[in-house]
Amino acid sequence: MTYQCGTANAALRVAWLVLLVILPAVYAEEQQGPREIPGWGHFEDPSGEAVLQVEENSVVITSAKNELTARSPLGSLPRIVRAVEGNFDVQVRVSGSFIEPYQSAVLMAIADEAEYMRIDCGTDRYRRVEVSTGLMVNGAFRGGMPRFVTSTSMWLRLQKENVELRSFYSYDGKQWIKSYHSTDASFPDGRVFEFEEPMRVMLLVHN
């Protein structure tokens, strides 16, 4: 996945997507008329302003300015969506130049807006490139500390095994570094949060 930024528009190029679904995936259309992308899922564009290009080994999404917050994790962001059930392992490669503050590529696993995990690669307010994970459980936002990275070519990974969601990042797609696990955010009594199913895996453009 290559993310190319501009001051007005942002283009997200997605390549080398590895989607490993341990249990059978169940795909369900959630709205009328989504554009199907064979092998990927379907494309959603709430604003109607994004441009989608499907190439031989990649998908390019060009987006105008949009907004992403913890309470509104989807907003008007253009995204590629796939519904899954059971365990899964999703890996994408992100590379490119990040120019303006708060531009990022977002990989997300979501049950609803009160239950999700996302891992972002992009710029902070000072235009420094970082990887960070956000976890929303029962409407409360938690997550690991942002990690500044030395390369703009990164792999992102979300993995679900039984009740646990995990996020990782990598420079080469082989050696994975832990970002955050849902079990890091246990309840006061020691219980572990369990995500509802089915879930959706999404790839979003934040500009």
Side-chain angles (χ1 to χ4, degrees):
M1 180 171 68
T2 303
Y3 182 71
Q4 301 171 326
C5 303
T7 56
N9 295 302
L12 175 70
R13 180 183 298 274
V14 184
W16 301 287
L17 174 68
V18 182
L19 177 61
L20 304 175
V21 181
I22 309 304
L23 297 182
V26 178
Y27 174 74
E29 288 190 2
E30 299 174 6
Q31 58 182 5
Q32 295 297 319
R35 178 171 175 181
E36 292 289 337
I37 307 174
W40 297 79
H42 69 271
F43 177 63
E44 296 180 1
D45 177 23
S47 71
E49 298 178 350
V51 177
L52 174 71
Q53 297 172 265
V54 181
E55 301 181 353
E56 183 178 359
N57 294 311
S58 64
V59 176
V60 181
I61 303 171
T62 303
S63 172
K65 297 295 290 184
N66 52 46
E67 184 175 358
L68 175 68
T69 66
R71 298 294 176 183
S72 181
L74 303 180
S76 61
L77 275 64
R79 58 249 189 189
I80 298 172
V81 183
R82 184 167 180 170
V84 293
E85 291 188 27
N87 295 343
F88 57 80
D89 191 333
V90 183
Q91 304 167 30
V92 292
R93 182 173 180 239
V94 180
S95 63
S97 59
F98 300 87
I99 300 173
E100 296 301 315
Y102 304 121
Q103 292 181 320
S104 61
V106 182
L107 181 63
M108 177 183 293
I110 181 169
D112 56 45
E113 292 196 356
E115 300 179 7
Y116 66 81
M117 176 180 279
R118 78 175 198 234
I119 181 167
D120 304 30
C121 181
T123 48
D124 67 3
R125 62 184 297 183
Y126 302 109
R127 297 182 174 87
R128 297 174 298 188
V129 180
E130 65 180 15
V131 172
S132 62
T133 294
L135 176 71
M136 182 71 81
V137 292
N138 285 348
F141 190 75
R142 310 182 187 188
M145 290 293 294
R147 311 283 183 87
F148 295 112
V149 293
T150 59
S151 172
T152 56
S153 180
M154 301 297 298
W155 286 80
L156 305 180
R157 183 178 188 178
L158 285 178
Q159 184 181 73
K160 182 174 182 289
E161 184 173 350
N162 300 321
V163 300
E164 184 178 18
L165 268 175
R166 308 166 184 154
S167 65
F168 305 87
Y169 63 98
S170 172
Y171 288 92
D172 59 8
K174 299 176 182 178
Q175 300 295 320
W176 293 96
I177 304 166
K178 174 185 173 181
S179 178
Y180 199 75
H181 293 181
S182 60
T183 50
D184 295 336
S186 60
F187 292 102
D189 61 5
R191 290 182 297 117
V192 175
F193 185 78
E194 297 185 19
F195 282 84
E196 297 293 332
E197 291 191 347
M199 301 190 73
R200 294 168 292 166
V201 172
M202 298 187 182
L203 195 59
L204 307 97
V205 182
H206 181 213
N207 181 30

